[in-house]
Amino acid sequence: METGKAIFWQKCISRQPEKNDKEVNQMYEVQKELYVYLDSLEDLKHYAEKKKRIDAEIEKAEEEHAREAALYAQQKKEDALRNAEMMGVIFGAEMEAYLLARDFAEEIKEDPWLYCALTDVDPWLVNIL
């Protein structure tokens, strides 16, 4: 009986390393796959951070461009008003009304009081507007 137990345990011990090796190899394979997965997740994380940074820079540049465009439009309007005023002083109210009608036709169409005021100066301006 003692010999049978010893032989049984001998066989169990001798089989165990193969089983253990298989399990260890499977664990190593799983671990390798997890490292590959982790590396790809790290790459995605870096890409997402870079994209967020670039999107913020683009948004900031677009806001700056919009501010510059608004400033340019405001300066253009002020220049047109000064030009119309100077021409009005030199050539009279009709010339000033003509220049205002030419430069600010859209704004004049939207404001009925301004439309009436300009057409009172020169009824011909209706054709420009």
Side-chain angles (χ1 to χ4, degrees), residues 10-121:
Q10 188 81 23
K11 286 184 179 180
C12 287
I13 290 173
S14 69
R15 290 183 187 166
Q16 207 88 22
E18 291 175 6
K19 182 181 176 186
N20 287 343
D21 286 345
K22 229 182 213 182
E23 289 177 0
V24 168
N25 285 338
Q26 286 177 346
M27 289 188 336
Y28 280 136
E29 291 300 318
V30 169
Q31 190 176 19
K32 284 180 189 177
E33 290 177 19
L34 286 174
Y35 281 133
V36 168
Y37 182 68
L38 180 65
D39 287 342
S40 62
L41 284 178
E42 287 293 322
D43 291 342
L44 284 174
K45 180 181 172 187
H46 290 300
Y47 173 75
E49 290 171 353
K50 185 177 180 180
K51 185 180 181 319
K52 185 187 284 186
R53 202 171 44 249
I54 289 171
D55 288 346
E57 290 174 5
I58 289 172
E59 185 177 335
K60 185 178 178 182
E62 287 174 347
E63 289 173 358
E64 182 66 26
H65 178 70
R67 276 195 298 274
E68 288 176 0
L71 179 64
Y72 176 74
Q74 182 64 30
Q75 287 175 345
K76 189 175 177 181
K77 282 184 178 182
E78 289 173 1
D79 289 344
L81 286 173
R82 273 195 298 277
N83 184 29
E85 185 179 356
M86 183 173 301
M87 292 303 227
V89 169
I90 296 171
F91 296 106
E94 290 83 11
M95 178 57 87
E96 183 176 0
Y98 169 75
L99 291 174
L100 289 174
R102 183 191 69 187
D103 293 335
F104 299 101
E106 293 302 316
E107 289 89 347
I108 293 169
K109 286 178 186 176
E110 294 173 7
D111 187 353
W113 295 104
L114 188 56
Y115 182 83
C116 289
L118 284 175
T119 53
D120 282 347
V121 172

